[in-house]
């Protein structure tokens, strides 16, 4: 359901340990209610959250997350929308 379009996500974490990536993703989902996505780009597992259609939406979300995830960054990505 839905389609993939160009948008933005917030990258929270990058690690070589899958278990740590799973932990960060689960924490973000439970703490902030954001959909978390883990991708693998050897040798790292990358944790990104959100499905933002505009850069402004993503920046607003980043401001809320930056205190808990100080290395969080806004990244262009393909997102799924309804």
């Amino acid at each position: 359901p839905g389609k993939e379009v160009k948008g933005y996500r917030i990258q929270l974490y990058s690690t070589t340990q899958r278990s740590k990536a799973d932990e960060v993703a689960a924490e973000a989902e439970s703490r902030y209610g954001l959909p978390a996505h883990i991708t693998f780009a050897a040798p790292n597992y990358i944790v990104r959250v959100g499905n933002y259609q505009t850069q402004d939406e993503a920046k607003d979300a980043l401001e809320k997350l930056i205190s808990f995830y100080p290395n969080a960054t806004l990244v262009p990505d393909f997102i799924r929308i309804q």
Side-chain angles (χ1 to χ4, degrees):
K3 65 178 183 172
E4 278 198 345
V5 297
K6 288 182 181 178
Y8 298 89
R9 288 197 170 130
I10 297 167
Q11 184 166 313
L12 297 182
Y13 201 74
S14 180
T15 179
T16 56
Q17 299 173 8
R18 176 64 197 231
S19 60
K20 183 62 178 170
D22 287 337
E23 183 181 309
V24 171
E27 177 184 74
E29 286 182 336
S30 67
R31 182 181 292 257
Y32 295 101
L34 294 170
H37 312 272
I38 298 173
T39 55
F40 181 71
N44 294 314
Y45 293 93
I46 299 165
V47 181
R48 294 180 176 172
V49 295
N51 289 306
Y52 305 103
Q53 293 185 53
T54 69
Q55 197 170 6
D56 286 341
E57 282 181 302
K59 283 181 181 178
D60 288 345
L62 178 60
E63 287 176 14
K64 295 177 179 117
L65 294 169
I66 202 78
S67 63
F68 198 75
Y69 300 100
N71 296 319
T73 56
L74 185 117
V75 292
D77 204 345
F78 284 94
I79 62 167
R80 188 165 293 280
I81 61 170
Q82 299 302 329

